[in-house]
């Protein structure tokens, strides 16, 4: 007779399905558990510079040097306008030296390069540059977009967090079915209606995580995670827009007057003031 098959040891093969089932159960329980972190979407809305920044000393020196180079210290190529002007001057010189009669010339009205230059000079004399320092700069009116024209401006709004009123980027809580980007878009619309803005990408630029005070913290309500998105203001005319809360337009170096230090660190990581 054949020897009977050896029985598997207890807890080895027969225990594996039980262990796998227990593992699946733990995963299902975890998936069904409530989220301990509340999710928020925030929008960093920027008004880009309208004018160039003043030149630094080194930049002024380089600009002067390049002007000297182009002015004749070294040979440089002529522009199309300069070539045209030289050709016309040569034609006029030959015409004066020859016996060509102007009455025999074809009846055609020509605009010479010299005529264009005189027209441009008259236009330049009538031009008056707008001041770099505006009335909003003089009055330190930080609710105006017409200030700090050579820098980025960021929108801050005052929001109630718990019992505190804090200056923050516009933010709202995530709702089921939303993407984080759509949450950030809703945050922007919640504080500023009828706005034209270009949103940059679908992924957040930064995240800020904080825990709630111990008095209100629970296992199912530990704290909040704020995901930051960026957008560029397309139009500086906000006459049709309606700001619903206290707001400010501030530069990067002014953020420290309003934002808490830890929050400011996270914002500065993705904010460039070019």
């Amino acid at each position: 007779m054949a020897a009977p098959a050896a029985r598997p040891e207890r807890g080895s093969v027969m225990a594996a399905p039980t262990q796998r089932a227990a593992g699946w159960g733990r995963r299902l329980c975890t998936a069904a558990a409530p989220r301990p972190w509340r999710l928020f979407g925030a929008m960093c809305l920027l008004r880009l510079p309208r004018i160039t920044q003043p030149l630094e000393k080194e930049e002024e020196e380089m600009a002067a040097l390049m002007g000297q180079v182009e002015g004749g210290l070294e040979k440089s190529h002529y522009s199309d306008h300069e070539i045209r002007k030289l050709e016309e001057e040569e034609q006029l010189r030959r015409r004066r030296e020859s016996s060509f009669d102007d009455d025999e010339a074809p009846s055609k009205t020509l605009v010479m390069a010299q005529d264009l230059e005189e027209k441009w000079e008259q236009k330049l004399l009538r031009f008056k540059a707008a001041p770099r320092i505006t009335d909003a700069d003089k009055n330190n009116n930080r609710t105006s977009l017409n200030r700090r024209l050579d820098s980025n401006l960021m929108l801050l709004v005052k929001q109630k967090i718990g019992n505190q009123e804090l200056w923050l980027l516009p933010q709202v809580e995530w709702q089921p079915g939303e993407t984080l980007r759509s949450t950030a878009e809703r945050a922007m619309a919640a504080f500023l209606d009828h706005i034209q803005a270009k949103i940059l990408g679908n992924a957040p630029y930064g995240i800020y995580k904080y825990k709630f005070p111990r008095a209100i913290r629970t296992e199912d309500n530990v704290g909040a995670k704020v995901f930051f998105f960026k957008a560029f203001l397309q139009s500086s005319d906000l006459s049709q827009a309606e700001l619903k809360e206290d707001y400010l337009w501030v530069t990067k170096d002014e953020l420290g007057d309003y934002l808490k230090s830890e929050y400011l660190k996270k914002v500065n990581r993705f904010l460039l003031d070019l």
Side-chain angles (χ1 to χ4, degrees):
M1 296 178 61
R7 286 187 176 183
E9 296 182 3
R10 287 185 178 180
S12 58
V13 177
M14 297 300 292
T18 305
Q19 293 173 352
R20 287 196 295 270
W24 293 333
R26 284 195 297 271
R27 284 194 290 270
L28 290 173
C29 291
T30 302
R35 294 177 180 271
W37 295 90
R38 294 170 61 183
L39 306 181
F40 290 81
M43 184 63 75
C44 174
L45 180 61
L46 295 171
R47 187 224 67 187
L48 297 178
R50 297 184 187 174
I51 60 176
T52 58
Q53 294 184 350
L55 296 179
E56 300 290 342
K57 181 181 178 181
E58 294 79 5
E59 294 173 323
E60 290 180 348
E61 293 175 353
M62 178 57 69
L65 177 60
M66 294 304 298
Q68 293 176 359
V69 170
E70 294 179 357
L73 291 181
E74 294 184 8
K75 293 182 180 180
S76 60
H77 293 288
Y78 288 114
S79 66
D80 291 342
H81 174 77
E82 291 171 323
I83 293 174
R84 173 186 172 183
K85 184 178 180 181
L86 291 174
E87 291 176 348
E88 290 176 353
E89 290 175 350
E90 179 64 18
Q91 291 174 1
L92 290 175
R93 185 187 65 78
R94 291 180 179 179
R95 183 176 298 179
R96 285 193 298 267
E97 293 177 353
S98 66
S99 59
F100 182 78
D101 190 354
D102 290 341
D103 295 335
E104 300 176 4
S107 58
K108 183 187 294 185
T109 303
L110 297 177
V111 180
M112 308 289 286
Q114 184 64 36
D115 297 331
L116 288 175
E117 289 186 1
E118 292 175 358
K119 181 180 178 181
W120 294 337
E121 288 177 0
Q122 292 298 321
K123 188 175 181 179
L124 178 61
L125 292 175
R126 294 192 300 268
F127 174 77
K128 184 179 180 181
R132 298 180 64 93
I133 306 299
T134 65
D135 291 338
D137 287 316
K138 296 175 183 178
N139 300 325
N140 196 25
N141 181 9
R142 297 189 178 185
T143 62
S144 173
L145 275 172
N146 194 34
R147 62 181 295 268
R148 298 296 296 269
L149 301 181
D150 59 352
S151 303
N152 288 326
L153 289 183
M154 181 192 303
L155 176 64
L156 296 182
V157 295
K158 185 176 284 187
Q159 295 182 252
K160 190 170 184 179
I161 306 297
N163 296 325
Q164 293 181 302
E165 286 192 343
L166 302 175
W167 287 105
L168 303 169
L169 303 183
Q171 71 177 43
V172 293
E173 189 168 2
W174 173 83
Q175 299 295 332
E178 284 186 327
T179 63
L180 285 172
R181 167 173 165 157
S182 61
T183 303
E185 290 177 356
R186 183 163 56 85
M188 184 170 59
F191 295 95
L192 192 60
D193 279 340
H194 305 97
I195 187 174
Q196 297 179 4
K198 180 179 179 59
I199 300 173
L200 307 180
N202 296 316
Y205 280 76
I207 179 174
Y208 172 63
K209 182 172 71 172
Y210 64 95
K211 291 184 178 182
F212 295 138
R214 293 183 180 275
I216 62 173
R217 190 189 310 166
T218 64
E219 292 184 359
D220 299 336
N221 196 30
V222 175
K225 294 180 181 180
V226 184
F227 295 88
F228 298 109
F229 289 77
K230 287 176 70 173
F232 291 157
L233 190 65
Q234 295 290 87
S235 173
S236 296
D237 182 13
L238 298 183
S239 57
Q240 302 296 326
E242 178 185 356
L243 279 159
K244 302 178 180 179
E245 301 286 341
D246 292 337
Y247 68 94
L248 295 169
W249 292 98
V250 296
T251 62
K252 182 179 179 181
D253 55 357
E254 295 168 343
L255 289 175
D257 298 339
Y258 303 97
L259 302 183
K260 290 194 171 182
S261 59
E262 290 302 318
Y263 188 91
L264 177 61
K265 288 179 183 178
K266 301 299 183 181
V267 173
N268 278 334
R269 286 184 179 181
F270 63 84
L271 186 63
L272 298 177
D273 194 4
L274 301 178

